Amino acid sequence: MLETWLIAELAALGLVTGLLAGLLGIGGGMLMVPFITFILTQRGVASDLAVKMAIATSMATILFTSLSSVRAHHRRGAVRWDLVRNLSPGIVIGSLLAGAGVFHVIPGRWLALLFAAFIAFSATQMLRSAGQSQDKPSRGLPGPAGQFAAGGAIGFVSGLVGAGGGFISVPFMTWCGVVMHQAVATSAALGFPIALANGAGYLWSGASVAGRPPGSLGYVFLPALAVLATASVLMAPLGVRLAHALPVAALKRVFALLLYALAATMTWEALRAG
């Protein structure tokens, strides 16, 4: 059982990440992973294992936030379902390779450093996109083989860092000429196969790992998942609505600074643990 104050903290984290998922088209992993890592280490979980469980638990929440967010986007007719169909097979294969294989053998310290590098890159991409025209097409989409390969890369990287793939899929789609609001909506839809395949891998590869806290299933910490998923699902539709009313470019700049701070924190913790 979780303490009352811890439930409140997780609920607040879920509300914020759900809001940002709908508002900025991002997964919650960039916020969830550092905080879940801290929570687990404070409960006596070894830092190496805590990082892996934080990434896996964050990814599992995307199963729920993706459905909530994409439902709101679909109502606005923004999801490119043709791209979802073409990218998903590669995403599933890349995700399974990461979640059931590579993720298990890489030390948690290195995953933390990889995560820090990823969110620093994401912050930079966010700053760049905040100052660019959002609907300016660049080039066409690749053929089926190219989309399969792109999906594989999205799923694999997402599985290692516990993110929904938005900071890979959205730039990829806009670079290929997909308008921004469709890219964000389609990225939300792609979050479901990413989370489903990676989640299955985390459950399988972490089933026999020692030192997990009570309530764990594989690498996923179920009590935290329940609170985070419930809170984030409630807020994702509101984020979608606010995306059409607020100055998203300005919000992206502020959030990018937070990401840089989180990247620095994760890097420090990983180096200190090593």
Side-chain angles (χ1 to χ4, degrees):
M1 295 290 294
L2 296 180
E3 299 86 351
T4 301
W5 67 268
L6 184 54
I7 292 175
E9 288 183 343
L10 289 169
L13 179 60
L15 290 172
V16 172
T17 52
L19 181 69
L20 292 173
L23 180 62
L24 302 178
I26 65 170
M30 288 177 291
L31 281 179
M32 289 185 186
V33 171
F35 286 103
I36 299 174
T37 299
F38 175 77
I39 288 169
L40 290 173
T41 54
Q42 292 300 302
R43 296 174 70 87
V45 179
S47 59
D48 189 82
L49 177 58
V51 171
K52 291 189 175 185
M53 294 193 67
I55 289 173
T57 304
S58 168
M59 177 63 76
T61 65
I62 297 172
L63 278 171
F64 305 94
T65 55
S66 171
L67 291 176
S68 178
S69 181
V70 76
R71 185 167 175 259
H73 282 298
H74 177 69
R75 287 176 175 174
R76 297 176 180 271
V79 181
R80 286 281 303 271
W81 291 108
D82 58 320
L83 291 178
V84 175
R85 289 191 298 270
N86 292 339
L87 291 168
S88 290
I91 280 174
V92 170
I93 293 175
S95 297
L96 287 173
L97 180 61
V102 177
F103 180 86
H104 181 63
V105 299
I106 295 180
R109 174 171 174 259
W110 290 105
L111 286 173
L113 291 172
L114 178 62
F115 177 85
F118 175 77
I119 60 174
F121 167 78
S122 298
T124 303
Q125 290 295 100
M126 182 173 283
L127 286 175
R128 291 180 60 189
S129 68
Q132 294 175 350
S133 172
Q134 300 300 308
D135 291 330
K136 183 179 179 181
S138 178
R139 65 192 69 211
L141 288 158
Q147 292 186 46
F148 179 86
I154 293 167
F156 184 79
V157 175
S158 297
L160 294 183
V161 297
F167 277 95
I168 307 173
S169 59
V170 171
F172 167 72
M173 285 185 278
T174 55
W175 183 69
C176 293
V178 179
V179 295
M180 177 59 73
H181 73 278
Q182 290 183 341
V184 169
T186 304
S187 172
L190 292 172
F192 186 80
I194 288 172
L196 185 63
N198 274 306
Y202 298 145
L203 296 182
W204 180 81
S205 62
S208 59
V209 173
R212 293 172 296 147
S216 301
L217 184 61
Y219 282 116
V220 179
F221 187 39
L222 293 178
L225 170 62
V227 178
L228 290 167
T230 301
S232 59
V233 163
L234 291 174
M235 291 300 287
L238 176 60
V240 172
R241 291 195 295 271
L242 290 176
H244 295 265
L246 295 178
V248 175
L251 292 173
K252 283 185 174 182
R253 294 187 180 97
V254 174
F255 187 62
L257 297 178
L258 173 60
L259 292 184
Y260 282 128
L262 290 175
T265 300
M266 287 295 286
T267 300
W268 168 252
E269 291 296 331
L271 294 175
R272 189 180 65 170

